[in-house]
Amino acid sequence: MRAQSSAIAESSIAVGTPPAAPVSHRAGTLQAALGVVAFSLTFPATAWGLEGFGPWALVAVRSVLAAALAGGCLLFLRVRLPERRHWAGLAVVAAGVVLGFPMLTTLALETSTTSHAAVVVGLLPLTTALLSALRTGVRPSRTFWVAALAGAAAVLAFTIAQSGGALTAADGYLFAALVVCAAGYTEGGRLARIMPGWQVIGWALVCCLPLTVPAAAVALSYEPVVWTAHGVAGVLWVAVGSQFLGLVVWYRGMAAVGIPKASQLQLAQPLLTLVWSVLLLGEHLTVAAPLTAAAVLVCIAVTQRSRS
């Protein structure tokens, strides 16, 4: 392992890309968990943002604000441009995490509750693990897959029950968001092994500016803004917390503990989202919530202890 890390570092230095600082397994798990907490607030914050902004304006403005923060950090620290070979992966991160997932989930939340939208997060860990296995060649153990499938099934059953078992037009947006976000997570986790996680999302945000700046200008001209405390707070959180800081610790955590195992921490995200929905939006939970939470925690414990 030490020789492999040394080889990666030497390779990174040779091409002019500073290697990411090593992170212990425990610290990586903690950072990935902090990312999950940040992401769990995304849907409630988006619902708040929609109180003051139109859907297209919300997506474009959040991306521009996050890119301004990330770009400022990159300029201040004088970070060099990534190697040409990394830009394809960064484009996948940008398309999936910066543009695709926010746009599709925001459109879904126009007609869906946050509890129903949480179904996409319940399925995201399994989808990320599948794409990671295809992309990186990692083959988790059978125990890992059984626990992952069980956790995903528990979360899926719970969230569908919360919505009354009926599929809506928003589900098309949600399932598409699931796929593009999993692809972005997979590429971001891979790139975070050779460059700091904050630079991965930072460059992905910056490379979207030629699209997001004109999109924001057009959207704001067609979708009038209603300045409310909820609207401003929602936009600021999804831009700073979800779009930048959350992804910084998330990618760093994935690089330390591996994409499949880190992704299973997100099994707790829908339940956290439901808690925030109650506290911030006044939505109601059923008695099934604590039972599902216990089942999910067991599945997370199994996936974290299983050998890849």
Side-chain angles (χ1 to χ4, degrees), residues 31-107:
Q31 291 189 52
L34 288 175
V36 170
V37 173
F39 300 153
S40 71
L41 280 160
T42 300
F43 286 170
T46 299
W48 272 9
L50 287 171
E51 294 180 15
F53 293 79
W56 296 101
L58 176 59
V59 173
V61 168
R62 69 179 276 184
S63 296
V64 171
L65 290 176
L69 176 60
C73 293
L74 292 168
L75 285 174
F76 179 77
L77 296 174
R78 298 181 180 180
V79 178
R80 286 186 288 180
L81 288 171
E83 296 289 326
R84 181 180 298 179
R85 60 194 175 93
H86 298 323
W87 280 107
L90 289 170
V92 175
V93 176
V97 177
V98 177
L99 299 177
F101 186 79
M103 179 182 68
L104 292 166
T105 54
T106 299
L107 292 174

Side-chain angles (χ1 to χ4, degrees), residues 181-278:
C181 188
Y185 279 176
T186 299
E187 284 301 304
R190 184 183 64 82
L191 288 171
R193 291 180 177 272
I194 52 179
M195 67 174 71
W198 75 271
Q199 292 183 25
V200 174
I201 186 58
W203 286 118
L205 285 163
V206 169
C207 78
C208 288
L209 280 174
L211 296 175
T212 55
V213 169
V218 172
L220 288 171
S221 66
Y222 281 94
E223 296 177 343
V225 177
V226 179
W227 295 102
T228 65
H230 278 181
V232 173
V235 169
L236 288 178
W237 178 259
V238 294
V240 178
S242 302
Q243 193 88 68
F244 184 61
L245 296 180
L247 285 167
V248 168
V249 293
W250 173 244
Y251 282 141
R252 190 167 172 81
M254 280 201 296
V257 302
I259 297 172
K261 285 190 175 182
S263 69
Q264 298 314 300
L265 293 172
Q266 281 195 304
L267 287 169
Q269 186 173 326
L271 303 177
L272 289 172
T273 298
L274 291 172
V275 172
W276 296 126
S277 297
V278 171

